[in-house]
Amino acid sequence: RLKLADAFLLQYPKSWLLAETYDAAARSAIEVGRYEEAIRDARCSLRLMPENASLLVLIANAEGKTGRIEPAIADASDALDDLTRFERPAMIDQKQWNLIRPQLTASAYFARARARAQQAMAEKPPPVEELSLALRDLNRAAAWNSNDPEIFYLRGILELKLNQRQEAASDLVFVSSRGGTLKARADDALKLLDFAHPKPRRIDLRLREQQSP
C-alpha cells in the first residue's frame, strides 16, 4: 500500500485526492515502522485537511516514539480539540462514530500523556508537576477506554514514580491479568511493591462527561 500511495503521488502531484493519498501513505509507513516517512506524509496531508483527528493521533504517537516531544503534545492536543469541536467525518456513519470516537479520544490522551512522561523522565529528578499532568491525561484515557493495558501500564509506572503505591499495584495487576506483551514488564514492576495482588480499580466511565481536553 505504501508503494501504491507513493506511485500515485509521483504520477498525480496536483490531484484533488492528495490529502487522502498522503494520509494513506502515512498510515502505511507507520504499519512498517517507517516513522520519519509517516511524519512527513502526515504533515502534507494535514496541511490540506488539518481537522483530521485520526491522523493527528497516529502522528502524535509516531512523534513520541521518535523523541519529538513538543510536536507530539501539540498534535495530541489538536486531535482532542478537533474531536470536541467537529462532527463525525462524512464517510463514517453515526453508529460507527459512536464506537470510534471514544477510542480516538483515549488514544489522544494517551499519546499526550506518554510524551509528557518522556519529557518529565528526561529530567533528574522528574518534576512532580509534569508527572502529575501526564497522570491526569492517563486518567482521562482510562475513562474513555477501560480495556487498554498500555494505558494502565504507563499509569502504574507514573504512580510508582509519584509514590502512589496502592494505585500502582492495582493498575499493574490489571495489566498482568490481561496477559500479552506487557505482562512480564508489569510483573517485574510488581516485584518492587509489597502488595499481594490487590483488586484492579473500577473505572467510572461517567468521568468522561466531566472532562475536557
Side-chain angles (χ1 to χ4, degrees):
R1 285 194 299 170
L2 181 58
K3 288 181 179 179
L4 287 173
D6 286 342
F8 181 91
L9 291 168
L10 286 173
Q11 190 168 359
Y12 304 105
K14 296 183 179 181
S15 169
W16 61 275
L17 291 172
L18 282 183
E20 292 84 353
T21 307
Y22 276 119
D23 181 304
R27 293 172 191 274
S28 297
I30 286 175
E31 287 179 2
V32 296
R34 291 159 63 171
Y35 297 118
E36 300 293 338
E37 289 181 43
I39 292 168
R40 179 200 66 201
D41 289 338
R43 287 284 166 231
C44 291
S45 180
L46 290 166
R47 278 197 292 270
L48 298 168
M49 191 165 59
E51 68 281 3
N52 188 342
S54 174
L55 185 58
L56 282 165
V57 170
L58 285 177
I59 213 61
N61 276 300
E63 287 164 336
K65 290 178 180 179
T66 55
R68 294 173 168 86
I69 303 302
E70 293 297 338
I73 292 172
D75 285 333
S77 298
D78 285 346
L80 289 166
D81 186 50
D82 288 351
L83 287 164
T84 301
R85 292 194 300 125
F86 296 116
E87 297 294 330
R88 61 179 171 81
M91 72 287 297
I92 300 176
D93 65 35
Q94 190 61 52
K95 185 176 180 181
Q96 288 178 303
W97 186 238
N98 290 342
L99 297 173
I100 293 170
R101 183 172 178 267
Q103 302 295 321
L104 281 177
T105 304
S107 295
Y109 276 123
F110 176 80
R112 191 167 72 178
R114 181 168 57 186
R116 283 175 165 170
Q118 288 175 296
Q119 190 174 54
M121 297 291 193
E123 300 184 41
K124 301 296 181 185
V128 171
E129 183 178 350
E130 295 300 318
L131 291 176
S132 297
L133 280 175
L135 183 59
R136 184 179 67 181
D137 276 344
L138 288 169
N139 288 337
R140 291 172 171 175
W144 283 96
N145 183 357
S146 60
N147 294 307
D148 186 347
E150 196 171 15
I151 293 171
F152 291 90
Y153 175 76
L154 181 56
R155 190 168 76 169
I157 296 303
L158 293 188
E159 287 163 341
L160 277 175
K161 294 289 184 183
L162 292 166
N163 202 32
Q164 298 176 13
R165 294 167 62 81
Q166 181 69 55
E167 293 84 352
S170 178
D171 281 339
L172 293 168
V173 166
F174 169 76
V175 175
S176 179
S177 71
R178 297 299 297 271
T181 57
L182 289 174
K183 175 177 170 54
R185 292 164 68 181
D187 288 342
D188 287 342
L190 280 167
K191 291 174 184 176
L192 302 174
L193 297 163
D194 298 328
F195 295 97
H197 300 298
K199 292 182 180 179
R201 283 178 287 174
R202 296 179 64 84
I203 303 301
D204 185 354
L205 298 183
R206 290 172 297 177
L207 284 174
R208 70 175 64 166
E209 311 286 330
Q210 305 164 13
Q211 294 166 339
S212 57

